[in-house]
């Protein structure tokens, strides 16, 4: 298992104007992006660094994310991004602040035929299927995930994204696309209905469990 600091990324923001020069860097503990488009950004650092990055996000500026393997990518969250800040440590000499930035696409997750998953691997297939069903409002059964998502993976409609501290992916398909796949799989006898009438019970996944699975995968 890697030490925590070896699993962190680094964010660097540089801006030179006529009146000021800004050069800050922060630690990145979670990141999800697609090339130059960032969707989820979780960083921590000092008051001034977090404040500068918050302003940069709202002003649609770009910044550089360096991954734990040393690779770097210039990214931005784009228009209408949201920022959420909090305190990790408050002290008389130095405070540590936490900032989470979320793109407009992730805030509208499931719309426009794109469903973003923070973590997708062999241990989280049930969580991934539950997320897709919930966001798209599908009438589905927990047991159908392997068949439907497996078919989408074979058709290359599930694509891996860049990640730090997680293993993100995007599922490409509208509600109508998924309904058609469910219908075809049902006609082919690949999907079974519950044996008795009644509500379908889905497993529950807490946010803590989601991040715990992500940490285990990263380790």
């Amino acid at each position: 298992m890697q030490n925590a600091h070896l699993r962190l990324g680094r964010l660097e923001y540089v801006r030179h104007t006529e009146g000021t020069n800004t050069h800050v860097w922060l630690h990145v503990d979670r990141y999800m992006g697609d090339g130059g488009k960032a969707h989820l950004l979780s960083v921590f650092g000092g008051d001034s660094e977090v404040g500068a990055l918050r302003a940069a996000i709202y002003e649609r500026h770009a910044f550089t994310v360096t991954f734990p393997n040393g690779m770097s990518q210039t990214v931005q969250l784009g228009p209408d991004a949201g920022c959420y800040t909090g305190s990790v440590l408050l002290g008389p000499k130095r405070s540590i602040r936490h900032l989470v930035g979320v793109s407009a696409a992730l805030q509208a997750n499931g719309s426009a035929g794109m469903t973003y998953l923070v973590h997708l691997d062999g241990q989280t297939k049930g969580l991934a299927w539950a997320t897709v069903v919930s966001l798209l409002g599908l009438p589905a059964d927990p047991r159908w995930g392997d068949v439907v998502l497996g078919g989408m993976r074979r058709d290359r409609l599930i694509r891996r994204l860049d990640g730090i501290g997680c293993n993100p992916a995007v599922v490409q398909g509208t509600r109508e696309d998924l309904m058609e796949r469910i219908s075809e799989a049902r006609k082919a006898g690949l999907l079974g209905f519950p044996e008795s009438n009644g509500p379908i019970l889905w497993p529950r996944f807490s946010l803590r469990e989601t991040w715990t699975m992500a940490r285990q995968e990263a380790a």
Side-chain angles (χ1 to χ4, degrees):
M1 177 182 292
Q2 289 181 313
N3 291 328
H5 71 280
L6 297 177
R7 301 197 300 268
L8 294 174
R10 176 187 174 105
L11 182 146
E12 187 175 20
Y13 171 58
V14 180
R15 188 188 184 199
H16 301 295
T17 64
E18 185 176 345
T20 61
N21 292 321
T22 303
H23 186 182
V24 300
W25 68 270
L26 302 100
H27 295 290
V28 182
D29 65 301
R30 294 287 186 277
Y31 175 78
M32 176 170 66
D34 189 2
K37 177 65 175 177
H39 290 296
L40 174 67
L41 176 68
S42 173
V43 300
F44 59 93
D47 277 326
S48 59
E49 291 87 352
V50 168
L53 179 61
R54 181 186 177 95
I57 290 174
Y58 282 135
E59 294 174 10
R60 307 182 191 180
H61 293 168
F63 38 86
T64 300
V65 171
T66 300
F67 295 83
N69 63 5
M71 298 292 292
S72 295
Q73 177 74 52
T74 300
V75 302
Q76 60 180 160
L77 281 163
D80 301 320
C83 285
Y84 307 88
T85 57
S87 298
V88 178
L89 175 66
L90 294 176
K93 294 185 179 180
R94 178 174 173 81
S95 297
I96 304 298
R97 303 290 185 180
H98 181 215
L99 180 146
V100 176
V102 185
S103 70
L106 187 56
Q107 293 178 70
N109 201 3
S111 64
M114 306 289 277
T115 302
Y116 295 95
L117 305 174
V118 173
H119 199 72
L120 177 61
D121 64 9
Q123 298 180 12
T124 60
K125 290 187 294 184
L127 173 59
W129 178 235
T131 301
V132 172
V133 169
S134 176
L135 291 176
L136 298 184
L138 295 171
D141 186 281
R143 298 170 296 176
W144 297 354
D146 286 345
V147 173
V148 178
L149 293 183
M152 298 187 75
R153 187 177 295 106
R154 288 191 295 273
D155 292 340
R156 298 184 178 180
L157 295 175
I158 297 179
R159 184 164 51 88
R160 295 291 180 179
L161 301 179
D162 303 322
I164 296 175
C166 58
N167 192 10
V170 60
V171 179
Q172 302 175 68
T174 63
R175 184 178 189 275
E176 290 70 24
D177 294 333
L178 270 292
M179 287 290 291
E180 184 175 351
R181 283 183 172 271
I182 291 173
S183 176
E184 292 176 352
R186 174 61 188 166
K187 291 177 182 177
L190 300 177
L191 304 179
F193 283 150
E195 296 179 357
S196 60
N197 292 330
I200 295 177
L201 301 178
W202 285 79
R204 294 187 177 185
F205 301 95
S206 68
L207 185 59
R208 180 183 296 275
E209 289 173 324
T210 302
W211 289 127
T212 297
M213 288 185 283
R215 287 197 300 269
Q216 290 173 346
E217 176 68 15

